[in-house]
Amino acid sequence: MNDIPVFAHRGASSFYLENTFSAFKKAKDLGADGIELDLQISKDGILVVFHDLDLKRLAGKNRLVSQCDYKELVKYNLGPRFKRFFLQERMMSFEDVLKWANKENISLNIELKESLISKENVLKSFLHNIQLPANSHFSSFHDSLLKSVKEVLPKAETAIIITKKFDWNSLGKCDYIDAIHAHRKYYKMQYLELCTASNMGIRFYGIRGNEPFLKTPHQAVIGWITDFPHKVLEAQQRKKGV
């Protein structure tokens, strides 16, 4: 494992379409420690790996993911408007991705999306039987989903994805939050020191690989989340003089 684990954002999404096996396999080939992915739920209660709440951007359909059965979702070609018919990428079930990740022993950063809020019972049922690769964790903008994870898996790591409204003084006061995920713009000493004082780690997303702080990261940093895992890995190698 690298000095600070590098998670490929939706896979190696600068090479292949986000949240696809192509992007995930490329991330592993590039040496990423883990993969960040997004979890939605279909109408019939199947957990699927997809970022958007609706299908418009990547499938050209004006429907919510949660309005479609799984069998319908996997029929759609995914991709940008003028490429989707040639890419032949399809939506994946989380169960299939999980099997692959366990086989390849690659960590997962599982972001729980808004569609799961209305079907937390399905999420909890799935979690009861889950087997995660080492160093995997759950993240979300939504407190209730992280609470659900902790109810079923008390030892699982959970991370809140912060917004500008986040109260940094609340760090360490919620027993269902173990870590912070924040955009690189929040890489500021005042926030890093608050994390250290609260004995809480922080992962930064939106990392491009050319940030000066990659050379001497703060002790509170426990992960980088990036579209460019190869660039971040190269930056860490340069730091060590390799």
Side-chain angles (χ1 to χ4, degrees):
M1 181 173 286
N2 304 299
D3 289 351
I4 294 179
V6 176
F7 285 83
H9 180 240
R10 306 180 200 172
S13 52
S14 62
F15 289 87
Y16 293 101
L17 182 66
E18 65 187 60
N19 282 321
T20 62
F21 268 130
S22 298
F24 293 171
K25 290 174 181 177
K26 182 64 176 180
K28 185 178 185 301
D29 290 343
L30 290 172
D33 299 289
I35 291 169
E36 186 271 352
L37 57 82
D38 304 286
L39 216 59
Q40 304 276 10
I41 192 165
S42 67
K43 183 179 179 180
D44 51 345
I46 304 297
L47 298 176
V48 294
V49 179
F50 198 72
H51 176 269
D52 299 355
L53 285 174
D54 62 63
L55 298 164
K56 189 172 183 179
R57 178 173 67 96
L58 290 182
K61 305 295 181 181
N62 193 25
R63 300 190 67 188
L64 297 175
V65 173
S66 58
Q67 291 176 331
C68 304
D69 289 340
Y70 177 69
K71 288 184 178 180
E72 177 184 351
L73 292 173
V74 297
K75 290 180 180 179
Y76 297 133
N77 279 8
L78 302 178
R81 181 179 177 184
F82 297 109
K83 294 182 179 180
R84 70 174 66 106
F85 297 108
F86 304 100
L87 290 176
Q88 296 186 350
E89 296 284 6
R90 302 295 177 94
M91 197 177 301
M92 304 177 293
S93 73
F94 180 52
E95 185 174 6
D96 286 343
V97 173
L98 191 57
K99 288 178 182 177
W100 174 82
N102 276 309
K103 180 181 178 181
E104 299 295 334
N105 193 29
I106 188 164
S107 304
L108 296 178
N109 168 3
I110 306 159
E111 182 179 340
L112 306 174
K113 306 297 284 188
E114 184 179 344
S115 65
L116 291 163
I117 294 176
S118 63
K119 294 187 176 180
E120 290 189 39
N121 59 319
V122 177
L123 174 63
K124 289 180 181 179
S125 178
F126 188 90
L127 292 175
H128 274 292
N129 300 303
I130 200 171
Q131 179 181 349
L132 291 171
N135 302 310
S136 296
H137 51 273
F138 296 88
S139 63
S140 185
F141 286 99
H142 309 288
D143 291 55
S144 65
L145 294 175
L146 298 180
K147 289 178 182 178
S148 291
V149 171
K150 282 295 188 182
E151 286 178 22
V152 180
L153 301 172
K155 294 183 179 180
E157 182 187 338
T158 55
I160 188 73
I161 307 172
I162 67 161
T163 66
K164 61 182 180 180
K165 296 180 180 180
F166 181 71
D167 179 10
W168 287 89
N169 293 316
S170 68
L171 285 178
K173 296 180 181 179
C174 298
D175 58 5
Y176 56 88
I177 295 174
D178 302 311
I180 299 295
H181 285 186
H183 188 269
R184 66 174 184 271
K185 67 184 179 182
Y186 289 102
Y187 193 99
K188 297 179 180 180
M189 194 55 60
Q190 65 193 88
Y191 302 134
L192 292 161
E193 291 299 330
L194 282 170
C195 287
T196 298
S198 301
N199 195 31
M200 186 168 288
I202 184 167
R203 296 181 184 91
F204 288 96
Y205 64 88
I207 300 297
R208 295 169 295 192
N210 59 358
E211 291 82 1
F213 53 70
L214 291 174
K215 296 180 180 179
T216 54
H218 191 275
Q219 61 181 350
V221 179
I222 58 173
W224 308 119
I225 305 170
T226 176
D227 290 348
F228 313 98
H230 56 302
K231 294 182 179 180
V232 178
L233 290 165
E234 288 169 3
Q236 293 199 143
Q237 292 298 312
R238 287 196 298 271
K239 179 192 71 174
K240 294 187 289 186
V242 177

